Each structure stands twice: as structure tokens, then as C-alpha cells.
């Protein structure tokens, strides 16, 4: 079982890929976290979409933004791994692919993320440092983190 990554622009996504990535985001951010929020936020068209799939099924995902599309710096968001696959620790693979994807698409640069506070150590192991106080986003504690 091998996780294979690819990056696509919004207009390159197949209908099936779009459906699967929205389904994964909904499962992780709405259902698991019991959080009603506007996932379809009008930013998907600007993003690069990092898809991690096993046998054609998307189980890992994030979206990548160039500087000034989301934050002043390039950014990574909607980082998600299907609950069925988290024990494999593929979140680190996903983040390394996301960082590499930003460097390939936009050049090496600072990356800002809005991280859920409970994932601080995870993001620190991927080179990010906390640069803000805790704030609530959709009633979930978050911190801004930066990777230079």
C-alpha cells in the first residue's frame, strides 16, 4: 500500500477528485470536529491542491497558496488525513510534500499556516514555529505558525 501524491490546479481536478477531496475535508473538519463552518470559501480556485491517494482513493489532502493569496507569505491549509490512515503517520509525508510543492511552484520562501493548537508539536517537527498568541477560529483554538 503506497501513498502517491500529485498536485493539481483547481481546473485540472476531475469531478471525482473534487468530490473526494470535499468529502475528506467534510469528514475531518465538519463531522469529526463537530464544527459547522464555511469549508467552500471561494479560495479553492486560487489554490494548488495536493492529493494523496491509495489505489485512486484520496486519503490525504492539503491546499497550497502563493504569497498574498491567503497570508502575506505562501501558505498551506486544509491539511487532512483520513481517520482510517492516521496511524500510518502520513501527516508528515503530506506536510513535506506540501512544503516541496510550494517550493517547486513558487520558489523557496517563508510559509505561514493557521494551525490548530493541539497540532503545534506536529507542525514544529515539520519546521514551523509559533508566531502568535492563541486565537479562536470557528471556536477551535488556533495559532499562527511560520516556516522560514
Amino acid at each position: 500500500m503506497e501513498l502517491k501524491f500529485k498536485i493539481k490546479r483547481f481546473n485540472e481536478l476531475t469531478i471525482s477528485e473534487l468530490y473526494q477531496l470535499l468529502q475528506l475535508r467534510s469528514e475531518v473538519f465538519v463531522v469529526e470536529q463537530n464544527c459547522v463552518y464555511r469549508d467552500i470559501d471561494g479560495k479553492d480556485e486560487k489554490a494548488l491542491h495536493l492529493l494523496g491517494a491509495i489505489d485512486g482513493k484520496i486519503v490525504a489532502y492539503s491546499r497550497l497558496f502563493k504569497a498574498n493569496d491567503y497570508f502575506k507569505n505562501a501558505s498551506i491549509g486544509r491539511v487532512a488525513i483520513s481517520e482510517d490512515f492516521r496511524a500510518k503517520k502520513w501527516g508528515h509525508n503530506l506536510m513535506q510534500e506540501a512544503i516541496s510543492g510550494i517550493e517547486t511552484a513558487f520558489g523557496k520562501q517563508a510559509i505561514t499556516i493557521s494551525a490548530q493548537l493541539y497540532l503545534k508539536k506536529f507542525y514544529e517537527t515539520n519546521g514551523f514555529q509559533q508566531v502568535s498568541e492563541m486565537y479562536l477560529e470557528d471556536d477551535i483554538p488556533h495559532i499562527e505558525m511560520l516556516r522560514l
Side-chain angles (χ1 to χ4, degrees):
M1 186 177 346
E2 183 185 353
L3 183 61
K4 294 183 181 174
F5 289 100
K6 60 186 165 186
I7 294 177
K8 290 189 167 190
R9 297 187 183 288
F10 184 77
N11 63 349
E12 297 171 332
L13 294 168
T14 67
I15 292 170
S16 177
E17 288 169 335
L18 180 60
Y19 182 85
Q20 288 183 59
L21 75 85
L22 291 172
Q23 184 177 38
L24 177 60
R25 285 175 12 186
S26 177
E27 287 170 3
V28 171
F29 300 116
V30 178
V31 177
E32 280 182 39
Q33 296 181 356
N34 193 28
C35 180
V36 177
Y37 82 112
R38 190 178 306 274
D39 178 46
I40 300 175
D41 59 3
K43 294 183 176 123
D44 285 315
E45 291 89 346
K46 290 182 178 183
L48 294 178
H49 300 269
L50 175 58
L51 312 171
I54 296 173
D55 298 327
K57 178 176 173 26
I58 295 172
V59 300
Y61 173 82
S62 70
R63 58 185 190 179
L64 317 177
F65 293 97
K66 70 181 190 300
N68 298 309
D69 271 357
Y70 201 92
F71 288 104
K72 182 182 87 176
N73 298 318
S75 61
I76 301 168
R78 299 290 199 270
V79 177
I81 299 280
S82 172
E83 189 174 27
D84 295 339
F85 294 92
R86 287 193 199 132
K88 296 191 177 296
K89 305 291 186 205
W90 283 343
H92 296 287
N93 303 68
L94 177 61
M95 285 305 298
Q96 291 308 308
E97 290 287 333
I99 292 162
S100 176
I102 283 180
E103 290 175 356
T104 299
F106 312 127
K108 185 158 177 54
Q109 57 189 282
I111 302 171
T112 298
I113 60 173
S114 177
Q116 292 187 11
L117 182 59
Y118 85 97
L119 290 168
K120 178 183 176 191
K121 287 192 186 332
F122 166 78
Y123 287 115
E124 285 174 342
T125 64
N126 287 283
F128 289 85
Q129 296 178 337
Q130 180 176 345
V131 293
S132 78
E133 296 298 316
M134 187 278 292
Y135 57 91
L136 291 178
E137 188 173 305
D138 301 312
D139 289 326
I140 296 173
H142 280 71
I143 52 174
E144 190 171 303
M145 298 187 82
L146 178 65
R147 183 180 198 278
L148 296 174

